[in-house]
Amino acid sequence: MSKVLLIGAGGVGTRLAAEVAALAGVSELVLAGRSEARLATAQRSCQAQVPGARVRGLPLDVGVVERTAEVLAAESPDVVVMCASLRSAWDLLGRSDEQATAITRAGLAVRLPYMVTLPLALMRAVKESGITAPVANLCFPDVTGPVLATQGLAPTVGLGNVGMLLLRAAEAAGLDPRRDLIRVVGHHAQMFTAAQGIRPPAGEDTPRTYLGDPPRRADDLPYRPAARQPGSDFDALTVAASTPVIEALLPDAAPLRWSVPAPEGLPGGYPVRLQGSTVTMDLPDDITVEEAVALNSTWARGDGIQEILPDGTVHMTERAREAVAEVDRGLGEPLRIEDLPERVALLDHYLHPESNDSDAPHSSIEG
């Protein structure tokens, strides 16, 4: 029986916590986050949905590396699940003001500082603590994973995204994704439209979807089920795609063939074999790892990512830079690891002026 530490008790974190607490291999779920009120709500929700589950709240600002390292060493979890970001991915949903519209149009890359700051702090704490537990990251993993990999701090796997494409393909084909072999190579940028049933324009590449072995291409499948709506409807699919991965990371878990974002820090998503902390690539014979990485690096442009340099600097696409130019050209400039606090403050200046104070980079942590 295993202990899981889940960081981030926001909307998707709370949903995921209940599913993790219900897993047969989990003896204790520790919920960590800055807001004690949210922790208490998430804990009550878990215990109401899973009577008898052992769920404990732990106040923690994961952005404080030294304290987080102490907690990791003391708790010694078997799996760490990262669901906390400085701002939710749905933070701008429904906003129509000029700044929010421009930044949304640029793609999620411009808001990368919100998504990567806390996973970076967590992975620094993991290294400092010396724990060897696998880390599953839900925060924009297709991009944060490869950025962290340049620092030698890649989480074990990401969650959601390409796994969501896998579930939609299974639904369209009437297959059981745990029993029937479905393998998907795809990126978050494609998931966002595919989950809404929006097919790309003619000539644009779709995720590579493979059924069975020998594999049969069926790239249209993720677009065929009923459209999901951004927000809580997406979150439900995210949780469904993430729970089997977390279960497979537990010690002595049964092996799982699934598709996950950023295995060992690769950009985008890939089919893998999971068992405990072991993750191995599971690509069909017609595509190499190098080809799959090249595809995902190209698809990342749909999120506004032109290139991630070996030192972790992220270059935005021309489209992303043009989208934010009328707000502030600085938002589209190359993003260096050391510039994260400054860029978070700049984003908050335009998107959340009410939080522009001395601790603006930590003004709101979402799960």
Side-chain angles (χ1 to χ4, degrees), residues 82-98:
M82 180 56 170
C83 299
S85 58
L86 291 179
R87 297 283 182 185
S88 167
W90 306 127
D91 191 43
L92 303 185
L93 197 63
R95 284 183 53 170
S96 58
D97 55 282
E98 178 184 353

Side-chain angles (χ1 to χ4, degrees), residues 142-163:
D142 302 63
V143 176
T144 61
V147 170
L148 295 178
T150 67
Q151 310 302 299
L153 297 172
T156 310
V157 293
L159 297 172
N161 299 342
V162 72

Side-chain angles (χ1 to χ4, degrees), residues 277-294:
S277 59
T278 302
V279 182
T280 55
M281 297 294 281
D282 189 24
L283 289 166
D285 290 340
D286 76 338
I287 184 170
T288 66
V289 172
E290 292 76 15
E291 289 168 340
V293 168

Side-chain angles (χ1 to χ4, degrees), residues 185-187 208 210 266-271 281 283-284 287-299:
V185 178
H187 197 278
R208 302 281 181 92
Y210 302 83
L266 293 177
Y270 310 81
M281 297 294 281
L283 289 166
I287 184 170
T288 66
V289 172
E290 292 76 15
E291 289 168 340
V293 168
L295 282 172
N296 271 302
S297 297
T298 298
W299 294 334

Side-chain angles (χ1 to χ4, degrees), residues 13 17 27 39 76 99 173 177 179 193 253 270 283 298 308 325 333:
S27 58
L39 289 176
S76 189
Q99 292 87 347
R179 186 188 68 235
T193 51
Y270 310 81
L283 289 166
T298 298
I308 300 172
E333 289 297 308

Side-chain angles (χ1 to χ4, degrees), residues 111 125 220 261 313:
R111 286 184 281 161
D220 189 54
T313 299

